Amino acid sequence: MKKNHDHRVRIAKRIAKELTAGMVVNLGVGIPTLIPDFLDPNQGVFLQSENGILGMGPTPADEEIDMDCISASKHPVTLDLGASIFSSSDSFAMIRGGHIDVAVLGALQVSEKGEIANWAVPGKDILGVGGAMDLVPGAKKIIIAITHLTKDHSPKLVKELTYPSSGIRSAEMIVTEKAVFSIKDGVMVLEEIAEDTSLEEIMATTEARFQIAENLKYMHV
């Protein structure tokens, strides 16, 4: 459990570095909910939640939790100075209107072309579409936060989806605990590798075909 938690934290920390001043960012369920705790207070990022918040802050201390102030993931949150609270319909108008700069989503699978499956596993209870069906086409950039393997050590980065798709739009970036990939013109490109892994390990644990960037770097968090 500790190792899995460390992997999730690594992914969240790396994605936090991608978020810059002035961005309006929507965070999905799972790993993305960890990101607020790794943003610098002066980073100037505006976190948006589908249930009607713009200006989410980090996780509150246990003694400061107010369950009337929660994210769309039902996690307690704080509000930054100047935060706005509004209706869910207004929130989805922001999403559908193209006003979200970055959506950080969890996923069950990602294809080598960047197509995302994040809401249902065939033969199991439906997780629920949530806001993904709107965020996938509506956000200007999609970053996927995902562990490299499933609990039974199957690859999550696959040649083609075997789970229901969340939309034909492709992600622009995928961050796992082992690597960072970009999707360029429908091609997955390995951009960074973690210092505690190797190119051979990534190739062995990734079903999706990918190219290797000429300036391949280590992944620093």
Side-chain angles (χ1 to χ4, degrees):
M1 178 64 79
K2 180 66 163 60
K3 185 175 182 180
N4 183 57
H5 176 74
D6 290 345
H7 287 170
R8 291 161 55 89
V9 167
R10 177 187 294 183
I11 295 165
K13 284 183 174 180
R14 176 60 186 84
I15 293 175
K17 293 180 179 294
E18 292 294 309
L19 309 180
T20 57
M23 282 184 173
V24 176
V25 180
N26 180 283
L27 302 177
V29 300
I31 296 171
T33 62
L34 302 176
I35 291 173
D37 294 339
F38 303 113
L39 291 172
D40 188 294
N42 299 315
Q43 203 160 332
V45 175
F46 299 96
L47 299 180
Q48 191 256 13
S49 182
E50 294 146 40
N51 59 328
I53 301 174
L54 182 62
M56 287 191 300
T59 305
D62 289 346
E63 64 272 14
E64 296 176 355
I65 289 176
D66 178 357
M67 291 309 293
D68 286 331
C69 187
I70 60 172
S71 69
S73 302
K74 299 181 176 61
H75 291 167
V77 297
T78 54
L79 300 177
D80 286 338
L81 183 65
S84 297
I85 299 175
F86 38 86
S87 70
S88 179
S89 59
D90 286 334
S91 179
F92 275 90
M94 290 177 65
I95 295 169
R96 294 168 184 169
H99 303 292
I100 304 299
D101 295 302
V102 179
V104 184
L105 302 175
L108 299 167
Q109 289 181 332
V110 185
S111 80
E112 61 188 33
K113 294 184 178 180
E115 190 176 354
I116 306 155
N118 77 341
W119 66 279
V121 177
K124 295 188 177 182
D125 292 340
I126 299 295
L127 300 175
V129 176
M133 290 299 187
D134 293 282
L135 287 162
V136 168
K140 296 175 184 176
K141 179 178 182 179
I142 300 172
I143 299 175
I144 299 298
I146 189 172
T147 54
H148 211 88
L149 300 171
T150 65
K151 292 180 179 179
D152 64 1
H153 303 291
S154 300
K156 291 186 178 181
L157 306 184
V158 295
K159 290 180 180 178
E160 294 184 1
L161 299 182
T162 58
Y163 295 170
S165 174
S166 301
I168 60 173
R169 162 83 181 281
S170 295
E172 282 78 15
M173 184 177 190
I174 304 163
V175 180
T176 81
E177 76 279 9
K178 297 181 185 294
V180 176
F181 298 87
S182 65
I183 305 292
K184 299 177 179 178
D185 298 321
V187 177
M188 187 178 289
V189 180
L190 176 64
E191 303 282 357
E192 302 175 17
I193 64 172
E195 293 183 337
D196 59 356
T197 190
S198 66
L199 182 57
E200 291 74 19
E201 181 180 351
I202 293 171
M203 294 176 70
T205 56
T206 306
E207 179 189 303
R209 294 166 295 191
F210 60 88
Q211 297 180 1
I212 301 171
E214 292 183 2
N215 59 337
L216 182 63
K217 301 175 182 177
Y218 280 118
M219 175 181 169
H220 293 294
V221 296

